[in-house]
Amino acid sequence: MSKEQRNLRAGDSSETTDAAKPRRDIANEAAAHALRLLEKVRHASEARLAKTDTDGDGQQNAAPHAVVIGGGIAGLVAARELRQTGHEVTVLEATGNFGGCVRSTEVAGLRIDAGAESFAVRGGVVASYLDELDLGEQIAATSGQPAWLIQGEDQEILAHPMPATAMLGIPGNVRTDEVRAIIGRPATVRAAADLITPMSKKWATEKLSIAEVVRARMGQAVLDQLVAPVVNGVYSTDPAKISIDAAAPGLRQAMQETGSLARAVSKLQASAPAGSRVAGINGGMYTMVQALVAQLEEAGVALVRNCAATALSHDPQAAAPYAVRTLGQELHADRVVLAVPAQPALELLNPLFAAEQQLDSDGDANAIALAILVIDKPELDDAPRGSGVLVSKQAPLAAKALTHSTAKWPWLADESGPGTHVIRLSFGRIGEHENLVESGDDSALIDQAIKDASKILGVQLHRDDVLGSTVSRFSDMVPLQGEAATARRTALQHNLSDFEGLDVVGAWIAGTGLARVIAQARSAVAISAR
């Protein structure tokens, strides 16, 4: 595809307005459509309540009604489980799209993941679920290109390949040229002490953050220069704020068995060599959302967009004990699943709890933005920084990570063609206020993304090279980490024990990653199934 053809494609995607046609009021049409669907759901719900068995014992003869509040992955998974167990199901989604953090966008004629783009292979949870959705044959391997690390200070940028044996940046072999180039010879000697330092028995049970483990076993340099960039890029937070068990299941046990952090990493990595730790889906991860929505629609689930729940009440004596208020309507339900982020979930839940049981949402700043660029730059065909780059916090860059999507995913490279590249840069960290992210100025963010991508990739990019761009924003999407998260989950589960048929699912409960979200949603619904 020539540059002229690419520019024509980009132009075609943006020049779609027709002045001769009257402008539609999309917002009002969406609200009207949601109200029509709600009316159908409400009438069906009332009919179920009126229908009792012929024995007159007051027990409902119709299928129980479940309302799922939130149409992200957790909500859609829960809805599918409930439908398969015989419930009539209604899903209420506050926005115009399902999928939550799994979303897509069209830029310069390409359909691109604008949220989660991959899933962890370890454990097989997501792959198994994709098989259930008949998407198993669409699972896509990465190109196998390595990840890189950017260091630097002032205006100097240093780029290094990430150690191939690393997990979360923790090297499985500290005596390599890759590790030495990043942290230096003295720090490498300190890191190697892990191999001969006895493992404390108390580490088998006490609470440990990633930072505590790495600092104690391998030293501050490994933590700052290898581990922190990875944890910031993956979890948008500091290694001191996330537990070792949440970030790397099985690592603690492997440490006890091998007597070393490096050997523990090597043991776990043996079953997941570089390039096979994550996978995606041909066509993008949003294919999973499309499959779920299609199956739910075929099964008769009511999927209502642009429909935020505003109140939840509970009457244990009623035939249907829950009532959900939305768009001026009240839906009665036998079961309710909250599949929304922490703040809206707690706004609905706290009125049900006694004053001393009410929970606070996470007060940390967590605005995250993803800048997506489709660029015409044949110089990038050789993938100078592999599949992507993680950025040290000390480097003179605003971006915390870059993914070279067309270098990472062969299916996307085939669709885009030679010379056309998809670059995704992420900005923002939990607990840190960044004006660039919080201002909402997409143009300024794209300008910064172009500047940062030039430095990271080592190839000068200009606005004229950009065929198309967009910004995808996230707020209250990343779960609270560490002890605070554990304490809140424990308190929430205690409170919910008084409410049969009320479940809470999603990343702020399950943790980061599709595997955790899917497993927790299925488990939560199954545990309280009647």
Side-chain angles (χ1 to χ4, degrees):
M1 183 183 295
S2 69
K3 184 167 185 176
E4 288 76 15
Q5 289 174 313
R6 296 186 195 105
N7 287 330
L8 178 61
R9 181 176 64 184
D12 288 344
S13 69
S14 59
E15 297 173 6
T16 57
T17 57
D18 186 348
K21 295 180 181 179
R23 183 170 294 178
R24 295 168 56 192
D25 192 338
I26 302 297
N28 283 341
E29 288 182 15
H33 179 67
L35 281 170
R36 288 194 296 271
L37 281 177
L38 283 177
E39 277 294 310
K40 291 182 180 180
V41 172
R42 186 172 62 81
H43 287 309
S45 178
E46 290 173 352
R48 279 190 292 268
L49 289 175
K51 186 178 180 180
T52 57
D53 63 10
T54 55
D55 294 334
D57 60 6
Q59 297 298 311
Q60 289 186 36
N61 206 15
H65 181 214
V67 172
V68 178
I69 301 173
I73 287 294
L76 296 177
V77 169
R80 183 172 180 266
E81 297 294 308
L82 290 165
R83 188 70 189 102
Q84 289 180 339
T85 55
H87 290 76
E88 294 294 333
V89 182
T90 301
V91 180
L92 307 178
E93 168 53 39
T95 72
N97 298 291
F98 294 104
C101 289
V102 180
R103 60 181 74 163
S104 72
T105 188
E106 185 172 315
V107 183
L110 293 172
R111 178 58 57 179
I112 301 167
D113 282 319
E117 58 149 16
S118 63
F119 61 88
V121 173
R122 188 182 299 279
V125 172
V126 181
S128 177
Y129 195 71
L130 290 174
D131 278 337
E132 293 183 34
L133 297 178
D134 296 324
L135 291 176
E137 294 184 358
Q138 296 301 314
I139 293 175
T142 69
S143 64
Q145 290 272 7
W148 284 59
L149 175 69
I150 291 290
Q151 294 176 300
E153 53 187 352
D154 296 328
Q155 294 304 310
E156 185 179 2
I157 294 292
L158 298 173
H160 306 280
M162 284 291 292
T165 60
M167 171 188 286
L168 290 176
I170 306 169
N173 182 356
V174 299
R175 297 191 181 103
T176 67
D177 292 339
E178 294 170 317
V179 173
R180 192 176 298 111
I182 294 171
I183 67 174
R185 187 175 299 276
T188 302
V189 174
R190 164 64 184 90
D194 163 70
L195 299 170
I196 58 173
T197 302
M199 187 72 62
S200 172
K201 291 183 179 180
K202 67 179 182 179
W203 277 31
T205 56
E206 70 177 18
K207 297 176 181 177
L208 294 170
S209 69
I210 297 174
E212 289 174 299
V213 172
V214 175
R215 185 186 298 110
R217 298 299 307 179
M218 293 186 173
Q220 192 70 38
V222 172
L223 174 61
D224 292 342
Q225 299 178 49
L226 280 170
V227 178
V230 177
V231 173
N232 275 316
V234 174
Y235 294 100
S236 299
T237 193
D238 189 278
K241 295 182 179 180
I242 184 169
S243 75
I244 194 74
D245 299 313
L251 185 59
R252 181 196 293 261
Q253 181 178 345
M255 287 168 60
Q256 296 299 315
E257 293 171 352
T258 63
S260 158
L261 177 57
R263 284 192 286 264
V265 168
S266 295
K267 180 176 181 178
L268 294 182
Q269 294 295 67
S271 59
S276 70
R277 297 163 197 161
V278 299
I281 303 176
N282 285 319
M285 286 301 300
Y286 194 73
T287 304
M288 178 183 181
V289 176
Q290 293 173 318
L292 274 166
V293 168
Q295 288 193 15
L296 292 173
E297 288 178 336
E298 185 178 354
V301 171
L303 297 168
V304 191
R305 297 170 172 85
N306 303 295
C307 186
T310 54
L312 174 64
S313 59
H314 177 244
D315 180 0
Q317 304 305 316
Y322 295 98
V324 180
R325 188 78 178 171
T326 178
L327 297 183
Q329 304 284 321
E330 195 167 75
L331 302 181
H332 294 278
D334 303 277
R335 298 192 58 181
V336 170
V337 178
L338 270 72
V340 292
Q343 183 173 340
L346 293 175
E347 287 174 357
L348 293 171
L349 287 170
N350 275 333
L352 302 181
F353 303 152
E356 65 274 10
Q357 292 180 310
Q358 295 186 2
L359 304 172
D360 293 328
S361 62
D362 178 15
D364 280 347
N366 61 353
I368 307 296
L370 184 67
I372 301 172
L373 310 175
V374 177
I375 57 179
D376 178 84
K377 206 68 175 176
E379 295 95 315
L380 294 178
D381 287 354
D382 292 333
R385 295 293 181 263
S387 61
V389 176
L390 296 159
V391 179
S392 169
K393 199 172 180 180
Q394 289 72 41
L397 298 165
K400 65 183 181 184
L402 176 150
T403 301
H404 189 166
S405 299
T406 38
K408 185 173 184 178
W409 302 112
W411 67 265
L412 185 56
D414 290 343
E415 287 193 9
S416 62
T420 301
H421 293 270
V422 178
I423 306 294
R424 305 187 345 154
L425 294 96
S426 55
F427 299 83
R429 295 176 175 87
I430 296 177
E432 298 183 16
H433 293 275
E434 297 186 18
N435 290 334
L436 180 65
V437 176
E438 296 179 356
S439 69
D441 188 338
D442 286 359
S443 179
L445 195 66
I446 292 298
D447 285 340
Q448 186 65 51
I450 294 170
K451 293 176 183 177
D452 284 0
S454 296
K455 295 178 181 179
I456 291 171
L457 297 170
V459 175
Q460 185 61 52
L461 304 177
H462 303 281
R463 269 282 185 176
D464 290 346
D465 298 317
V466 180
L467 301 176
S469 63
T470 192
V471 174
S472 183
R473 295 182 180 276
F474 305 83
S475 61
D476 201 22
M477 292 292 187
V478 184
L480 184 70
Q481 308 289 349
E483 292 186 22
T486 301
R488 188 170 63 180
R489 284 195 295 267
T490 300
L492 178 61
Q493 293 303 321
H494 174 76
N495 290 355
L496 291 177
S497 63
D498 294 330
F499 297 88
E500 184 179 1
L502 178 60
D503 298 293
V504 179
V505 300
W508 70 283
I509 295 296
T512 299
L514 284 175
R516 290 188 177 98
V517 169
I518 291 171
Q520 187 265 338
R522 302 185 86 173
S523 176
V525 172
I527 287 171
S528 60
R530 290 195 274 178

